[in-house]
Amino acid sequence: MTSTLRTLTVPLDVESSSGGLPSFLVRDDVLCWSRREAGLVGFGELTRFNATGPERFLEADIWWRHLILEAEITDQVELPGTGPVAFGSFAFSKTSPHVSRLILPELVVGIRDGRAWATQLTFDDGELTEAGVLASVDYWLSGGEPNGEDSAEGRSDVGPSPDTVAADGAGHLSHGSLSESAWMQAVADGVEEIRAGKLEKLVLARDVVATLPDGVNAAEVLRQLAARYRECWTYGVDGLVGATPEMLIQVEGRTAQARVLAGTLDRRDADGMDGSPMEYAERVLAGSDKQRHEHEIAIDSLTRQLAPFSEAMNSHSEPFILELPNVWHLASDVKAELADIEGHVPTCLALINALHPTAAVCGTPTLVAGALIRKLEHLDRGPYAGPVGWLDAAGNGEWGIALRGAVIEDANTVRLYAGCGIVEGSQPEAELAETWAKFRPMLEALGIRR
């Protein structure tokens, strides 16, 4: 045995992966990052890094850089996501007991721009060969033994209340930490704090618990999300699954990009209205002072925090409407050229450390909003609204915000999360309805109707 990481990346026959990444989602313990026909899927677990607390991003960054410093990397493809890749999920809060993690798989399959590849990773001394990599692909796709920790490990969430809020033949939903009425009161309390001038925006989340008597099929959940929400980034890391429309930071070489969302409209609200659905969205969403104000807070937060790491930056002067199957969002894309800081371009995790949490998932001012979240939510968000994604040895990576997602707590139980941006004009009933619109992707993927 050797403590040196060794990897071999070889091209795959594109025809054999014509189904795109969803065709590789055959195991419930798979690691996944997918959008349209591109992304990465990881199998097995070679090692992992765990951390909690305010330094979790920097500690993970140090661990990763030490791991790859002496790595022996053979890469026949040389694209972002080739060579050593770690998948990660981080707790939203620095005070959360939930364990943040980077996971190094045994095998990674990637697809990008019509090219496919596989990377085998090992600490063993044995020779890595192209035939061995292809055999590893066949092994995992044919049902190799699971390897990894229980996805519920490290969680400290309270159990659901006995109040059932929805049911059908596939399963049922129960309230999480707060009932609907209690959560609406939390929204009202938050609005009062904003009106008192203590903060400008607050993001409040709630949870519901899904119980599926026939069991949770995580691979099928990921396939459903990847197929239905093609404009989102479908993620699966250690029992955390979802499809996020929001990119916290994407790094390729020296270029960083982000997609900021704030302002939401349920597409069902357009039923029976005059004009086309998009005309309705333009009128009600883009034409709303409340929604545009919420969006401006979010975009200003992101660009202000990213500026010290950038030598040039640009973003949309006006937000655009992002159309998803369940909702419309006001969205803005930001692009920055990263600056050399003390002779180095900042890493993905260093950027995340500076950017998280953004106003889109916390509020502003950050410290005031964070304290109020802990007071009003009665909920440990765990990985919800925390960074989720991947990074490679070359410094590339994609890190979304873990939204529209859930944690698989055991074989039959899934905890779903959704949140809303609260500003002075927010109405509790409307915010509650918005959470149900945001729960819809996961409910559909689980086969639960409401």
Side-chain angles (χ1 to χ4, degrees), residues 96-447:
S96 174
H98 178 81
V99 177
S100 300
R101 60 208 67 184
L102 285 180
I103 300 174
L104 191 71
E106 298 178 51
L107 177 78
V108 178
V109 173
I111 299 176
R112 178 188 173 105
D113 300 329
R115 299 177 66 186
W117 66 87
T119 300
Q120 189 173 6
L121 304 93
T122 184
F123 288 115
D124 294 339
D125 287 321
E127 182 183 7
L128 288 173
T129 65
E130 182 170 350
V133 176
L134 299 179
S136 181
V137 173
D138 290 340
Y139 168 77
W140 286 108
L141 293 182
S142 64
E145 287 301 314
N147 183 10
E149 297 182 8
D150 183 352
S151 63
E153 184 274 329
R155 295 200 51 82
S156 60
D157 304 287
V158 298
S161 74
D163 304 311
T164 297
V165 296
D168 65 10
H172 67 268
L173 292 178
S174 301
H175 293 304
S177 299
L178 291 177
S179 67
E180 292 187 353
S181 60
W183 189 79
M184 285 192 289
Q185 183 58 54
V187 172
D189 292 343
V191 171
E192 287 303 312
E193 296 287 310
I194 293 170
R195 288 175 178 165
K198 296 181 180 179
L199 71 168
E200 192 172 5
K201 177 186 176 181
L202 173 68
V203 180
L204 287 179
R206 58 184 289 254
D207 61 336
V208 295
V209 179
T211 303
L212 292 91
D214 294 335
V216 183
N217 185 332
E220 180 60 25
V221 167
L222 292 171
R223 283 194 296 268
Q224 292 277 346
L225 292 171
R228 295 181 182 181
Y229 290 83
R230 288 172 45 80
E231 294 305 308
C232 296
W233 289 268
T234 296
Y235 57 87
V237 178
D238 219 22
L240 173 69
V241 294
T244 181
E246 189 153 3
M247 175 63 71
L248 176 61
I249 198 72
Q250 176 188 51
V251 177
E252 186 173 328
R254 293 187 57 164
T255 301
Q257 299 185 75
R259 171 162 288 181
V260 181
L261 307 181
T264 304
L265 181 62
D266 190 342
R267 292 192 57 166
R268 290 180 178 176
D269 292 348
D271 295 345
M273 296 296 178
D274 293 336
S276 69
M278 186 54 74
E279 288 173 338
Y280 176 78
E282 290 278 0
R283 184 171 67 251
V284 177
L285 187 59
S288 166
D289 290 340
K290 169 189 174 294
Q291 302 278 21
R292 291 180 69 91
H293 176 58
E294 181 184 339
H295 187 80
E296 287 169 3
I297 293 171
I299 193 70
D300 289 348
S301 166
L302 186 282
T303 54
R304 186 172 59 253
Q305 291 165 300
L306 186 57
F309 301 93
S310 308
E311 59 185 27
M313 186 189 308
N314 62 69
S315 62
H316 292 120
S317 58
E318 286 287 320
F320 64 92
I321 292 181
L322 176 65
E323 184 177 7
L324 300 176
N326 60 324
V327 296
W328 290 288
H329 287 296
L330 284 182
S332 292
D333 289 337
V334 177
K335 186 174 183 179
E337 291 303 312
L338 297 174
D340 278 331
I341 299 175
E342 297 180 351
H344 301 282
V345 174
T347 65
C348 289
L349 293 175
L351 292 172
I352 290 171
N353 183 63
L355 296 175
H356 177 81
T358 67
V361 292
C362 180
T364 187
T366 303
L367 292 178
V368 177
L372 196 54
I373 284 171
R374 291 189 289 273
K375 176 182 176 182
L376 296 179
E377 281 186 354
H378 299 278
L379 167 71
D380 178 9
R381 292 186 179 185
Y384 167 73
V388 62
W390 62 269
L391 74 167
D392 68 15
N396 307 302
E398 294 182 288
W399 292 88
I401 300 174
L403 307 175
R404 310 298 189 273
V407 172
I408 300 171
E409 295 188 332
D410 59 43
N412 301 93
T413 309
V414 182
R415 188 176 297 268
L416 290 71
Y417 299 84
C420 298
I422 310 301
V423 292
E424 186 173 351
S426 295
Q427 299 295 323
E429 295 81 3
E431 302 301 335
L432 179 68
E434 183 177 314
T435 64
W436 281 116
K438 291 175 175 178
F439 281 133
R440 203 175 301 146
M442 281 303 308
L443 292 176
E444 292 171 346
L446 293 168

